[in-house]
Each structure stands twice: as structure tokens, then as C-alpha cells.
Amino acid sequence: MRGQLLAVTLVLACGVATYVTMRSAFRSLELAQADYYSSFRFADIFVHLRRAPVSLGAALADISGVTSVQTRIVMDVSLDIPGLPEPATGRLISIPERRSPMLNDLFLREGRYLEPGGHGEVLISEAFALANRLTVGASLDAVLNGKWERLTIVGIALSPEYIYEIRPSEVFPDNRRFGVLWMSGDVLESSFNMKEAFNDVSLSLSRGADEREVISRVDRVLSRYGSLGAFSRTDQISYRFLTDELGELRAYGFVLPLLFLGVVSFLLNVLLSRLVSTQRAQIAVLKAFGYTRYEIGLHYLELALVAVSAGAVLGVAAGLWLSVGLMNLYTRYFHFPALRLQSAPDILIVAVAIAAGAACLGAVAAVRRAVALAPAEAMRPEPPATFRPGLLERLGLRTFLSPASRMVVRNLDRRRWRATFSVLAVSLSIAIIVAGSYAIDAVELLVRIQFQSVQREDVTLVFQELQSSRARYELARLPGVLRVEAFREIPARLRFGHRKRRVGILGLPVDAELRRPVDSHLRPVVLPPTGLVLNKALAELLVARPGDTITVEVLEGARPVREVTIMALADEPVGLGVYMDLSALHRLMREGETLSGAWLRVDARAAPGLYASLKRTPSISGVAVRQVMLASFWKSFGESIQVSTAFLVGFAVTIAFGVVYNGARVALSERGHELASLRVLGYTRGEITRILLGEQAALLLAAIPLGVVLGYLLSILLSHFFARELFRLPLVANPATYAFAILVVVIATLVSGLIVARRLWHMDLTEVLKARE
């Protein structure tokens, strides 16, 4: 039974390893998040505004429930990084020259804090430093309010506000071209004419404070100062990404181990049931000698626990090893002062206990049979099975079946439940591979939709301040620019009934080609002359549909409130886009032809000259290059997706191998006498091999369509599971993925079948044909 127990042990080890890995990673991230937020005073409420006097901080501090207020200056500027051809975007955040406790405090990884009077000194985020290989003492250039400044790096820091460092309104991080820099508040005040003023504020709340009421009062205080609307930490982008990841780990840590341990229960049940059947005489003798039913039951239960013990040890070791690898992977995306593996003893104890429970559940039916056998009954050989015509024969298909095929069909029909669970287990292997590969297929489709159908520009520019329509003509004269499409974006709060969402309304020119909303068939959605086009996901959140009138609360300028009709829906996988005709948006705002930024189509040969010009253009605060963003995404996320898929394939192969091998070995032990008899009667090795493995082949053929269906259903489940506000994985059924899953399981089945066939070929016919006592 070495091979059978080994197969059970490997499947069980996969389940234990999955549980230990997911739970350890979940606890490690959760504890690191809680400790970091507490130790470095992560704020509860955030607000960005145009400009307000510093004295207003006292009014905010007087709001009931507010315990601390941190006013600061936050500006996005263009950076010139040595060795980087494209312009980078730096988010400058003011900090006191003399270090003191503050909200969203800094952890200094390297170097020192700013020195009083140290003009041009900055601290930079660790992710940005690592991506650009910047060290303490290095320098970079920035355009500060139209002036070219040389900045010197004196330290590398982390902030709880940027655990996941990403450019605003984007989904995928590009740490090489977006970074956070902390600079003296006095320097930023003078550079951006913000003397005794601020444009960003963070607040912490007392325990039990009414968050909604505080946000409402903060909005009332700051509304006349160009506030973009206060929001809680649950809407803060770094916090949201981290909590979403924790939710996924919790779900995976429950579902995947459950699948593996269910297969273990089935395998042990088949294995021990057959063992009890072949050891009836020994059970009878032991009972006759005085052994109790509990002692005999414990004997078989201990056999199951042998597999559990070995599988638990192997699974715990593999789980800890995988946890270390997963932690190393997380350090590339989530930046903590310390992210250590927190695999506490209780996780390991629970993993072993769950494995033991699964083994006991699988063994209980077989143990019940063993203890229920009366000695006199057990002394007699087990009565032969009663064969009767199966379904195929009753349907009149008997003439189409060879004698060997009828043997296979009848044997499967005699053990229907075992065959059913075997088919289900093998189909789960196919489904797991399909689900694992679905993530790759879905991300590839998401990228194609977003960066080929929706975002068709080469370069995106964001202006430091609103520009007039003349800016598009000035951009058209830049080197290599083939087409310019300017846009206007306004922050707004959409209300429909009691539901609301903070979004940006994007005004597009009527002849837009570089950025356009699309429907579910990837056809461009024509912008109506009036009204809004909403992303389908946003419409579902608001429970609104075309024809409904919603309230638009503009969060800038005079903050007008308008009633606007939803004219159409777009279906895009990224963001919660809201689109409007550019002229209609200007009429809504009752303003002239002001612009927030522009999209460019660029001649690739002239791109270096364009980037050099943009680096020194003072009116531009942000530059994003589409192809560079794509390359950065695949470099960072592509590897992690491929690694996770490889592990899922390995787990699925283990299940398929374990189920098929155990099924074939049990069939060989049950039918060894019959097959030896056929061999003596003249059947060849190949013929009796086909009879034995024909059952497994039939089960595989039945499992393939079921596995395809389960894989598709699991993909649907994952598409809903990964449906976040920031991005949603589209449902995709790639035929190559299903073919790959089937091929992997077929190969695993063939290998396990050949191992069992080898035992059949070397079977001692004389020994097998001896009469049983």
C-alpha cells in the first residue's frame, strides 16, 4: 500500500500547505498593517483642496470626534531621473523641518531627516528609490512652479499612506515613473506661493466617533476653499488595495484547502473500504480472540492517521516554505517597515486538526463496517457481487460493446458512488487548472480592452493648473506630436436616491479617437450632445440606468449642483468612468474652454526629443506613457501570476494522479483474480491492461466535460470575486486554456495508469490464483 498511501499523503500535503500558506500570509499582512497604522498614526479622514489658510486647522480640530489634524502642501511635479528617458511624476508632500510626531508619520529606512534650512533636501519613497536605483546622496531635477530645481536625496522613507504606491486614478503601479517625495514645508510654501496656507489635510478620529458626521462637517468647513470632498481611509487607494488582498487571502485559505481535503476523505474511504473487505477473515479471528470493536476500529483509524501525520508534516514544511516566498513577493508591492512571516503555532495546529478531521471523515464509513462485522459472518468469504445489465445494455447498445468493454461498464455500474466521486475529483483537477489560468487570460483581455480599445493614446499629460484652449495648439508644435486631444476632468459626487460615489467626470472632444468609451462588444460609444455616459459598474453601484436623472455635485470652483440625465452606458474593466461631451461639460460648469490635460499620438522616432521637452515644461505636472505602463505591469504582475498558476497546476496534477492511481490500484486488488484468470484463458497483457485501465479511461472521459463546466463556473465565480471598483476581471473562456488543463490531467492519468499497469504485467499468476481460505 506504499504507493496508495503516498498518493493520499501528497494530496493531503497540498491541502495543508495551501492552508498554512494563505493563513500565514493573511496574518502576516494583517498584523503588519495594524501595527504600522497604529505606530505611525495613519489618518482616518483625508481631504484635498485648492487653498486654505493654516488658521483653519483650528476649526477642523474643534469638530466633535476629531483628535488630531495635520495640514500640509501636496503637489505633483515633473521629475528628471538620471537614466530614465521619460519624465517621471513626483508627489511632493510637505513635512516639518524639525522632526515631530505627525499623522502619516515617516519611517526612515536609510539616511537622515531634513535639516533646518536645508534647501533642496528631500526624502524619497523606498519603492521609487529601488525602482530607479537611487541612493542617499543622489540628486534629481524637478520643475517647481515653473522653476528648475536640483533636489538632493538625504533619506529613504516609508509612509503608511503609501504602503501600495500608485499614481492617482491608476490601477497598476509604476514605481519607476511615480514616486513620493517629502520636502520641507517652508520650501514648498515659498516655491508654490502657499505662505501660511495648505491644500491637503488629514484627520484622526476618537474611538466611537461618527465618521459620516465628521466628514459632513469637514466638507462644510472646507467647501468654500475648493475642497474635493473628504473621504475615509476605506476609500484611500493604498488601504483599499491592501484590504482587498487580505480578503482574497482569507477566501483562498478556506476554499482551496477544502477541495483538497474533500479529495483526501474520498481516497481514504475507498482505500480503507477495500482493505476491510479483503481482511474480513483477520477481523473475525481478532474478534474471536477477544479484541473489542473499538480496538479494531482504532487500528484502521490509526492507518488513516499515518497518512495524515506524514501529509501534515510535509504540508506544514511546504506551507512555511511557500509562505516565505509569498512574503518576498508581497514586499515588491506592499512596503512596510517590517513584513515578517507570522505563522503562529495555532495556524499549524488548526491545519493538522483539519487534516485529521478530513482523514477521520473519510475513514469513518470503513471503520463502521469493520466493527460491525460479526465473527461468524466475517469468517465466510465476501459474497460475490451481483451483476445485472447496465444502462447501456438496457438501451440496446450491448451489441456495440466488446466483452472487455462490457466488463468495464458493468464494474463501473456496480460501484456507482465510487465512480461518481472519482469523476468529480478528476474534474476538480481540470477546474483548478482552468481557474488558475483564467487569471492570466482575464488580465490579458483586460489589458487589450483598456490599452487598445479605450486608451489609444501614446502619452497622457496632466496640467499643473487649468489651461485655455490655446494649450492644444502649443502641444501640437512639440517634436513628434501627430495628434492632440485635450480633455477636461472635474471631480464630482454623483447621487441617485440614497446612493453616492465620488468620481471624475471626463469631458471628451466630439471627434475623440485617442480616448473613447466602449460597450461590451468593444464598439465606441458615441457621446451624446447632453447628458452622461456611465460605466456599467458605476451604474450598478448607483442602481441607475439610462434615462434616469442623477444629481451631480461638482467638487471644485463654485461647486455647482446639477441634475443630469444618464444617456448611455459604457462597459470598461478599469475604473468607474463617467464621460461627457467636452462642450456639454463646459456648459455644465458655465465656464470657458478650460482644459485639464491632453492625450498625444506620437511618432516613436521623435519620442526622446518630446520627453526632453516635457521634462522642462513647467505647466505639466504629470506624464504617463502607455507602452511604458504596459511593460512595467507585465514585469511586476506577470511573474507573480505565472508563479501562482504553476503552483495551481502542480496541485491539480497531484489530485489527478492520486485519484487515478488509487482507483487503479484498488481495482487491481479487487479484480486481480479475475484478470489472472483471463490471462490464463489466453488474454494478452495488453487486453487485460485495457480492461483494468479502461475503467480509469472511462472515468477520465466522463470527468473532462464536467471539469470544463466546473472550470467555467469557477471562472464566473472568480470574475465576481475580483470585481473591485478600481478594476474588474472580464469573463473569458480561452479554448487554449481548457485544452491545456485537459492535456495536463490526461498526462497525469496516463503516468499513474502506466505505474499500475507495470504491477499488472509482473503479476504472479500462480500466487493470485491460489484458492482463498
Side-chain angles (χ1 to χ4, degrees):
M1 296 177 63
R2 288 191 305 270
Q4 293 167 274
L5 286 176
L6 177 61
V8 174
T9 299
L10 289 177
V11 176
L12 188 138
C14 290
V16 172
T18 305
Y19 179 83
V20 171
T21 301
M22 298 300 177
R23 290 300 302 178
S24 298
F26 172 81
R27 180 167 297 183
S28 300
L29 281 180
E30 186 180 46
L31 292 178
Q33 179 193 42
D35 181 66
Y36 193 19
Y37 284 170
S38 173
S39 300
F40 290 82
R41 295 171 289 280
F42 183 50
D44 296 300
I45 294 177
F46 303 84
V47 194
H48 192 73
L49 55 148
R50 186 170 182 80
R51 181 190 178 98
V54 172
S55 59
L56 203 64
L60 295 173
D62 289 339
I63 296 175
S64 177
V66 175
T67 59
S68 183
V69 176
Q70 183 80 37
T71 59
R72 58 188 184 177
I73 300 170
V74 177
M75 292 287 183
D76 287 348
V77 299
S78 289
L79 302 175
D80 184 8
I81 308 298
L84 184 66
E86 306 87 16
T89 300
R91 170 154 291 188
L92 297 180
I93 300 177
S94 67
I95 55 175
E97 283 193 343
R98 297 186 183 277
R99 189 163 194 178
S100 59
M102 63 180 182
L103 293 181
N104 307 315
D105 210 346
L106 301 181
F107 172 82
L108 203 60
R109 180 77 80 185
E110 295 180 31
R112 60 171 174 83
Y113 196 75
L114 306 178
E115 288 185 350
H119 187 83
E121 292 187 348
V122 294
L123 306 175
I124 67 171
S125 59
E126 184 181 50
F128 190 54
L130 292 174
N132 289 286
R133 299 180 181 178
L134 296 172
T135 58
V136 174
S139 60
L140 47 87
D141 297 321
V143 179
L144 304 185
N145 200 22
K147 297 179 182 179
W148 190 262
E149 297 281 351
R150 174 62 57 88
L151 306 179
T152 302
I153 301 170
V154 298
I156 296 174
L158 298 171
S159 167
E161 193 176 2
Y162 294 97
I163 292 176
Y164 186 80
E165 190 170 310
I166 188 172
R167 195 192 307 258
S169 75
E170 292 187 356
V171 176
F172 311 124
D174 183 1
N175 296 131
R176 194 163 186 216
R177 294 162 187 84
F178 174 77
V180 182
L181 296 82
W182 293 272
M183 197 172 185
S184 165
D186 293 339
V187 174
L188 283 180
E189 281 184 7
S190 60
S191 297
F192 291 95
N193 301 318
M194 295 285 288
K195 190 67 176 177
E196 296 297 318
F198 67 92
N199 68 350
D200 194 272
V201 61
S202 303
L203 304 93
S204 63
L205 305 182
S206 60
R207 187 182 298 273
D210 188 336
E211 189 177 81
R212 291 186 179 180
E213 178 61 25
V214 172
I215 289 176
S216 176
R217 296 188 62 182
V218 168
D219 283 341
R220 285 198 295 269
V221 171
L222 298 178
S223 61
R224 56 183 292 201
Y225 299 98
S227 168
L228 301 184
F231 58 92
S232 69
R233 66 164 60 172
T234 56
D235 291 323
Q236 202 263 348
I237 190 167
S238 174
Y239 177 90
R240 185 186 296 179
F241 266 96
L242 185 54
T243 50
D244 284 346
E245 186 66 27
L246 288 171
E248 291 172 14
L249 284 173
R250 182 190 288 114
Y252 274 126
F254 172 77
V255 174
L256 285 180
L258 192 64
L259 294 177
F260 285 108
L261 297 177
V263 174
V264 168
S265 295
F266 164 68
L267 292 179
L268 282 173
N269 180 268
V270 172
L271 181 63
L272 293 179
S273 294
R274 178 55 193 162
L275 194 61
V276 168
S277 177
T278 58
Q279 294 183 347
R280 289 166 55 90
Q282 290 93 325
I283 293 173
V285 171
L286 290 174
K287 285 189 173 183
F289 284 168
Y291 281 84
T292 66
R293 58 192 301 179
Y294 300 105
E295 290 174 310
I296 293 174
L298 183 60
H299 166 74
Y300 287 101
L301 193 58
E302 286 173 347
L303 179 61
L305 294 177
V306 167
V308 170
S309 301
V313 171
L314 183 60
V316 167
L320 293 176
W321 177 72
L322 291 173
S323 299
V324 173
L326 191 56
M327 287 297 99
N328 291 334
L329 188 63
Y330 278 141
T331 56
R332 295 169 55 180
Y333 308 117
F334 302 118
H335 296 273
F336 293 91
L339 182 56
R340 300 185 183 90
L341 180 61
Q342 301 286 343
S343 188
D346 63 299
I347 293 178
L348 308 183
I349 292 172
V350 170
V352 174
I354 293 175
C360 292
L361 183 64
V364 66
V367 170
R368 186 185 298 116
R369 285 185 60 193
V371 300
L373 283 173
E377 178 187 352
M379 286 291 188
R380 296 194 300 267
E382 188 174 10
T386 302
F387 285 91
R388 56 177 61 91
L391 177 62
L392 293 178
E393 293 175 306
R394 290 198 298 272
L395 292 175
L397 302 177
R398 176 177 178 177
T399 56
F400 298 99
L401 297 176
S402 65
S405 300
R406 285 202 295 273
M407 293 180 195
V408 170
V409 171
R410 285 181 173 180
N411 201 56
L412 290 175
D413 188 61
R414 184 163 60 95
R415 294 180 172 85
R416 296 176 183 175
W417 284 111
R418 183 196 295 180
T420 300
F421 283 112
S422 296
V423 168
L424 181 60
V426 175
S427 65
L428 279 176
S429 303
I430 298 174
I432 289 173
I433 298 176
V434 169
S437 302
Y438 159 76
I440 297 178
D441 296 336
V443 170
E444 288 179 346
L445 179 60
L446 181 149
V447 168
R448 286 202 304 272
I449 293 173
Q450 192 64 28
F451 293 102
Q452 293 182 14
S453 298
V454 179
Q455 297 179 228
R456 296 151 52 87
E457 75 282 357
D458 296 316
V459 177
T460 300
L461 305 180
V462 179
F463 300 142
Q464 188 80 49
E465 300 286 345
L466 293 178
Q467 302 290 321
S468 68
S469 59
R470 187 178 62 183
R472 67 163 66 96
Y473 303 108
E474 295 175 352
L475 291 173
R477 291 196 293 269
L478 291 175
V481 175
L482 303 177
R483 182 180 176 87
V484 178
E485 291 182 5
F487 63 87
R488 173 76 166 100
E489 185 173 20
I490 62 168
R493 183 183 291 114
L494 303 188
R495 291 183 180 272
F496 186 70
H498 65 280
R499 298 176 177 85
K500 59 183 179 180
R501 276 293 185 280
R502 295 176 72 253
V503 296
I505 301 178
L506 197 60
L508 307 180
V510 67
D511 59 344
E513 292 183 3
L514 303 183
R515 179 67 65 93
R516 57 188 188 182
V518 298
D519 60 18
S520 57
H521 300 289
L522 303 185
R523 295 175 302 205
V525 176
V526 178
L527 293 176
T530 60
L532 298 173
V533 173
L534 261 63
N535 189 298
K536 182 180 177 182
L538 177 59
E540 291 174 352
L541 290 172
L542 296 173
V543 193
R545 57 187 179 181
D548 290 335
T549 299
I550 64 174
T551 303
V552 177
E553 300 176 8
V554 178
L555 300 176
E556 72 170 32
R559 302 173 70 89
V561 179
R562 306 278 190 258
E563 300 293 321
V564 186
T565 302
I566 301 173
M567 305 301 293
L569 298 181
D571 193 1
E572 302 167 358
V574 175
L576 299 176
V578 181
Y579 300 95
M580 200 170 187
D581 177 80
L582 184 58
S583 299
L585 183 59
H586 286 149
R587 292 194 299 271
L588 178 77
M589 296 291 293
R590 295 175 184 172
E591 64 182 11
E593 294 186 9
T594 56
L595 304 173
S596 305
W599 298 297
L600 309 180
R601 178 175 290 160
V602 177
D603 183 352
R605 294 169 296 182
L610 173 65
Y611 299 150
S613 299
L614 293 176
K615 287 180 180 180
R616 296 179 177 271
T617 304
S619 60
I620 294 176
S621 64
V623 179
V625 181
R626 182 174 60 115
Q627 287 302 120
V628 168
M629 290 188 340
L630 278 174
S632 175
F633 164 74
W634 287 119
K635 182 179 178 180
S636 58
F637 280 90
E639 181 183 347
S640 62
I641 292 175
Q642 290 172 357
V643 170
S644 62
T645 302
F647 277 111
L648 285 176
V649 169
F651 290 159
V653 167
T654 303
I655 289 179
F657 180 86
V659 171
V660 175
Y661 179 79
N662 270 277
R665 284 288 289 117
V666 168
L668 178 58
S669 64
E670 289 176 340
R671 307 183 66 188
H673 192 275
E674 300 171 21
L675 296 172
S677 300
L678 292 174
R679 185 79 176 89
V680 171
L681 291 174
Y683 277 69
T684 66
R685 285 182 176 178
E687 289 172 328
I688 62 171
T689 300
R690 284 196 296 271
I691 294 173
L692 176 64
L693 299 185
E695 295 181 20
Q696 310 311 315
L699 296 175
L700 175 62
L701 290 175
I704 287 175
L706 180 60
V708 168
V709 173
L710 288 178
Y712 184 74
L713 294 177
L714 197 54
S715 298
I716 294 176
L717 182 64
L718 288 176
S719 68
H720 289 291
F721 182 69
F722 285 111
R724 307 175 182 177
E725 288 191 10
L726 295 175
F727 71 92
R728 296 156 298 280
L729 291 184
L731 180 62
V732 55
N734 188 344
T737 294
Y738 289 87
F740 172 73
I742 294 169
L743 179 63
V744 168
V745 173
V746 167
I747 291 174
T749 301
L750 288 174
V751 171
S752 58
L754 289 174
I755 294 174
V756 175
R758 186 173 178 274
R759 297 180 64 92
L760 177 62
W761 297 337
H762 294 85
M763 185 169 55
D764 188 334
L765 299 180
T766 305
E767 189 68 26
V768 173
L769 291 174
K770 283 182 179 179
R772 298 173 181 174
E773 294 292 334

